[in-house]
Amino acid sequence: QVQLVESGGGLVQAGGSLRLSCAASGRTFSSHAMGWFGQSPGKEREFVAAITWSGVSTYYADAVKVRFTISSDNAKNTVNLQMNSLKPEDTAVYYCAGKSVPWELVRPQYDYWGQGTQVTVSS
């Protein structure tokens, strides 16, 4: 099992920045890729960004491609999501997820999920 704990969410004004972190523990060697998904009330969980643990490959949703940056720190077993130029439509609960295989990362079929952290962007 892999346990994931998110942190760094909060309330920010439009145009501001937040940095989300996801700390992984347990059988982390069984996870080959990590992703971030956002879920707004009444909507399905949507892909935001993903990274392989090697850090070689990163993937982004078109809506965040030039504003968000995903990174990994293998020594600390953490994955970060730097969110810049935030917009009200970025408001969501953001979930960190781990997957045992490094493909089809834009789909929500991940093996491990955190509890989520709320990000609220005011206009």
Side-chain angles (χ1 to χ4, degrees):
Q1 280 286 55
V2 176
Q3 292 78 44
L4 304 175
V5 178
E6 303 97 335
S7 62
L11 173 64
V12 64
Q13 288 187 334
S17 299
L18 282 174
R19 183 177 177 86
L20 305 184
S21 292
C22 175
S25 60
R27 298 172 61 89
T28 56
F29 57 83
S30 65
S31 175
H32 290 274
M34 300 292 291
W36 286 96
F37 288 76
Q39 187 167 24
S40 303
K43 294 186 177 181
E44 294 185 353
R45 202 165 290 187
E46 296 181 339
F47 172 75
V48 175
I51 187 170
T52 54
W53 268 117
S54 65
V56 171
S57 299
T58 57
Y59 308 86
Y60 295 94
D62 288 342
V64 308
K65 193 169 293 185
V66 296
R67 300 185 294 122
F68 292 7
T69 302
I70 190 170
S71 61
S72 63
D73 185 334
N74 289 8
K76 297 182 179 180
N77 285 336
T78 59
V79 175
N80 302 306
L81 185 68
Q82 179 66 42
M83 311 166 72
N84 297 329
S85 301
L86 283 161
K87 304 175 181 180
E89 50 264 43
D90 295 321
T91 295
V93 176
Y94 283 76
Y95 295 90
C96 174
K99 193 164 186 178
S100 58
V101 293
W103 52 77
E104 295 191 358
L105 300 181
V106 300
R107 297 184 177 182
Q109 281 76 37
Y110 279 59
D111 302 297
Y112 313 104
W113 291 89
Q115 294 300 306
T117 184
Q118 176 71 45
V119 171
T120 302
V121 184
S122 63
S123 57

